[in-house]
């Protein structure tokens, strides 16, 4: 069972996490939700389309202008408080690697800390434990935040992913983070080249077999773009294909830009797998 905020999810219940960037230079939406009102409209749309989680980030993942902890907090803390006020039932996640920001957003209502940089700040897990919120434990290959991989190698990429994410998850629980609120993430693109991310995808069952819920962040990423030789704005089909494969292989939480399309993919896979009945069943019965 996965428990986040006020919600519990069964083992075969896929969950959508909608991306809400509070940055002026995000790689996909180019700052479309940097201002409050467009960002709140994005939350409302995502929830209406089937997202149970909104993931709020104040710093773009890639290189760019320096963003201090103070500026990251300015972009996220007040917004988290307003989302909590307007959408009391939504699960609020914050994408941060800094314990200072994590502490501040938890104070105003965040339910989950999404550490995409793999525990580079060990105090972030302590913050999650103190506030009894969830934690995403990601593999980033030891990369420093906001850096791109360069000639990175692994003897066995999935072995490294398992060692890092399971170790991080076990440490988090030992610190006091609720076990049912911890997820592991292979970290597509983070500290990896395209072949590494493709291998991590096809070997997802090894992560699922650990018993920790698996989150995948696939949406419009470079490994999709390089695999198909497509620019950022033409990666949706590749993303959805990867989403379908990941769902079939057992991933549970999906961090996405396109919520409605992802919902249809996940529902279709769940129905094929026998975990969800068709929405309607009239054919051959009239």
């Amino acid at each position: 069972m996965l428990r986040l905020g006020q919600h519990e999810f069964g083992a075969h219940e896929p969950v959508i996490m909608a991306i809400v960037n509070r940055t002026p230079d995000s790689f996909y939406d180019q700052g479309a939700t940097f201002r409050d009102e467009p960002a709140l409209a994005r939350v409302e749309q995502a929830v209406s389309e089937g997202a149970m989680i909104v993931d709020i980030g104040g710093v773009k993942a890639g290189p760019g202008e320096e963003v201090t902890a103070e500026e990251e907090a300015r972009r996220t803390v007040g917004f988290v408080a307003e989302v909590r006020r307007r959408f009391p039932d939504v699960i609020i996640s914050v994408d941060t690697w800094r314990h200072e920001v994590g502490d501040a957003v938890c104070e105003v209502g965040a339910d989950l800390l999404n550490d995409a940089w793999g525990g580079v700040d060990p105090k972030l897990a302590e913050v999650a434990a103190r506030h009894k919120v969830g934690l995403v434990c990601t593999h980033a290959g030891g990369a420093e935040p906001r850096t791109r991989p360069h000639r990175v190698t692994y003897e066995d990429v999935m072995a490294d992913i398992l060692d890092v994410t399971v170790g991080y998850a076990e440490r988090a629980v030992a610190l006091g983070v609720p076990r049912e609120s911890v997820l592991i993430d292979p970290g597509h693109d983070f500290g990896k080249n395209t072949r590494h991310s493709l291998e991590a995808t096809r070997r997802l069952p090894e992560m699922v077999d650990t018993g920790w819920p698996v989150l995948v962040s696939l949406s419009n990423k470079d490994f999709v773009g390089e695999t198909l030789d497509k620019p950022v704005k033409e990666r949706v089909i590749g993303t959805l294909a990867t989403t379908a494969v990941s769902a079939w292989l057992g991933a549970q939480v999906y961090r996405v830009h396109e919520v409605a399309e992802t919902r249809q993919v996940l529902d279709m896979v769940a129905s094929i797998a026998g975990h969800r009945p068709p929405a309607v069943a009239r054919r051959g019965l009239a």
Side-chain angles (χ1 to χ4, degrees):
M1 182 187 66
L2 173 64
R3 179 181 293 124
L4 298 171
Q6 305 172 41
H7 301 273
E8 295 182 356
F9 304 97
H12 298 297
E13 189 173 356
V15 183
I16 295 177
M17 169 190 276
I19 298 167
V20 182
N21 290 314
R22 302 308 318 283
T23 59
D25 52 357
S26 46
F27 89 99
Y28 186 65
D29 59 32
Q30 299 295 303
T33 53
F34 183 47
R35 294 185 298 108
D36 286 353
E37 286 310 313
L40 288 166
R42 161 67 175 164
V43 173
E44 184 173 15
Q45 178 186 11
V47 171
S48 71
E49 291 178 346
M52 295 296 294
I53 309 171
V54 292
D55 190 46
I56 298 162
V59 186
K60 69 176 289 188
E65 183 178 339
E66 180 185 1
V67 180
T68 64
E70 292 75 17
E71 173 61 16
E72 183 184 356
R74 188 190 69 79
R75 295 176 179 182
T76 56
V77 177
F79 185 73
V80 168
E82 184 62 14
V83 172
R84 179 81 294 150
R85 186 184 72 82
R86 294 197 190 191
F87 304 91
D89 295 331
V90 76
I91 300 163
I92 300 176
S93 170
V94 175
D95 180 353
T96 186
W97 75 88
R98 292 167 165 148
H99 75 274
E100 305 96 327
V101 175
D103 191 45
V105 296
C106 287
E107 288 285 352
V108 296
D111 303 299
L112 177 66
L113 297 176
N114 181 14
D115 182 7
W117 292 102
V120 68
D121 181 349
K123 293 183 179 179
L124 188 65
E126 298 172 16
V127 168
R130 185 164 63 252
H131 289 279
K132 300 299 180 187
V133 301
L135 182 67
V136 180
C137 302
T138 307
H139 179 272
E144 289 295 314
R146 307 193 67 194
T147 61
R148 298 193 189 281
H150 179 69
R151 299 189 183 280
V152 62
T153 61
Y154 298 95
E155 184 174 337
D156 182 328
V157 66
M158 182 51 74
D160 203 82
I161 289 170
L162 292 172
D163 183 60
V164 170
T165 58
V166 172
Y168 189 6
E170 290 175 345
R171 174 179 178 267
V173 171
L175 288 169
V177 180
R179 185 179 183 88
E180 63 273 17
S181 302
V182 175
L183 305 98
I184 59 174
D185 177 355
H188 289 79
D189 275 1
F190 282 62
K192 299 171 189 68
N193 62 33
T194 290
R195 288 184 174 86
H196 293 144
S197 292
L198 292 170
E199 181 174 351
T201 304
R202 64 178 169 267
R203 294 177 65 183
L204 278 175
E206 295 175 51
M207 297 190 74
V208 175
D209 286 346
T210 67
W212 299 98
V214 175
L215 179 150
V216 288
S217 183
L218 312 167
S219 196
N220 302 295
K221 283 194 167 179
D222 285 348
F223 84 96
V224 175
E226 288 194 356
T227 298
L228 302 175
D229 192 17
K230 294 294 183 181
V232 170
K233 295 296 184 179
E234 296 178 22
R235 299 175 183 176
V236 174
I237 294 174
T239 295
L240 295 175
T242 313
T243 298
V245 170
S246 299
W248 188 260
L249 295 179
Q252 184 166 15
V253 181
Y254 302 80
R255 183 179 182 271
V256 305
H257 297 97
E258 284 82 20
V259 175
E261 294 86 342
T262 302
R263 182 75 270 164
Q264 289 188 47
V265 168
L266 295 178
D267 285 350
M268 194 70 202
V269 172
S271 295
I272 293 169
H275 304 313
R276 172 189 178 273
V280 296
R282 293 187 290 263
R283 182 175 174 79
L285 299 177

